[in-house]
Amino acid sequence: MNNNKLNSQWMGEAIALSEESVRSGKGGPFGAVIVKEGKIIAKAHNQVTSTNDPTAHAEIVAIRKACQVLQTFNLKGCELYTSCEPCPMCLGAIYWARLDKVYYANTKADAAQIGFDDRFIYDELKLPLAQRHLPMIQLMPTEAAIAFQEWVEKSDKVEY
């Protein structure tokens, strides 16, 4: 099967998961599939409302499943197919997971039109901490630095 046909097949799976999520009432209209070496290794739909977990976006759930399947925290060599352009949280997780590529269907503008508008987060991130709507207050940096120093000195750490 050629790449375009496979890409469409995998995106079709992500879109089907988004529809299933809506129809089941288990979450918002989002689905995601992670592929490695031509095979689906994880798939998920949004589960925010059914699990009472604001981080249970389709991409995050799929990343968690893929990491369990592969027994690693590094998804290099994997591609993500998602029914919608990732939100800021998911995008951060995608970068941390080291996925090779992201394919998406709906845009963040499309999502905003149906009530999933992340613009406020992007706007907040541009502001200095003191100007953000969510107060960010530093406490006990000297005490917290001990763990950081121990990490630097740790010879058997697993870096990520």
Side-chain angles (χ1 to χ4, degrees):
M1 216 180 273
N2 68 36
N3 273 354
N4 287 339
K5 191 167 184 174
L6 285 173
N7 288 344
S8 294
Q9 178 182 327
W10 294 323
M11 182 58 76
E13 181 73 24
I15 292 168
L17 288 162
S18 72
E19 293 169 352
E20 176 186 322
S21 183
V22 173
R23 292 174 188 145
S24 71
K26 293 183 178 177
F30 305 99
V33 172
I34 296 179
V35 173
K36 182 172 186 170
E37 297 172 354
K39 294 181 182 167
I40 293 176
I41 58 166
K43 56 187 180 176
H45 61 81
N46 182 284
Q47 298 175 24
V48 170
T49 58
S50 62
T51 62
N52 293 317
D53 180 354
T55 69
H57 290 200
E59 298 92 334
I60 300 291
V61 176
I63 287 169
R64 290 174 181 159
K65 287 180 177 182
C67 289
Q68 288 177 347
V69 166
L70 297 175
Q71 292 295 290
T72 183
F73 52 81
N74 184 327
L75 296 179
K76 189 159 181 54
C78 297
E79 297 177 338
L80 173 71
Y81 293 79
T82 179
S83 64
C84 188
E85 186 176 357
C87 74
M89 176 185 68
C90 292
L91 191 56
I94 289 163
Y95 276 104
W96 279 115
R98 310 290 195 270
L99 286 149
D100 287 1
K101 194 178 289 187
V102 176
Y103 297 91
Y104 65 93
N106 292 311
T107 67
K108 61 185 176 185
D110 297 330
Q113 288 179 348
I114 64 162
F116 295 93
D117 192 352
D118 300 323
R119 183 179 39 227
F120 75 98
I121 297 172
Y122 289 108
D123 292 345
E124 283 282 300
L125 292 174
K126 295 175 194 173
L127 296 174
L129 293 178
Q131 293 178 18
R132 293 183 185 173
H133 289 92
L134 178 65
M136 302 283 292
I137 303 155
Q138 186 178 24
L139 292 175
M140 301 178 66
T142 304
E143 294 82 352
I146 294 168
F148 277 22
Q149 186 57 43
E150 288 180 12
W151 176 259
V152 168
E153 295 168 1
K154 187 173 177 62
S155 61
D156 63 342
K157 65 187 165 210
V158 178
E159 298 208 29
Y160 59 99

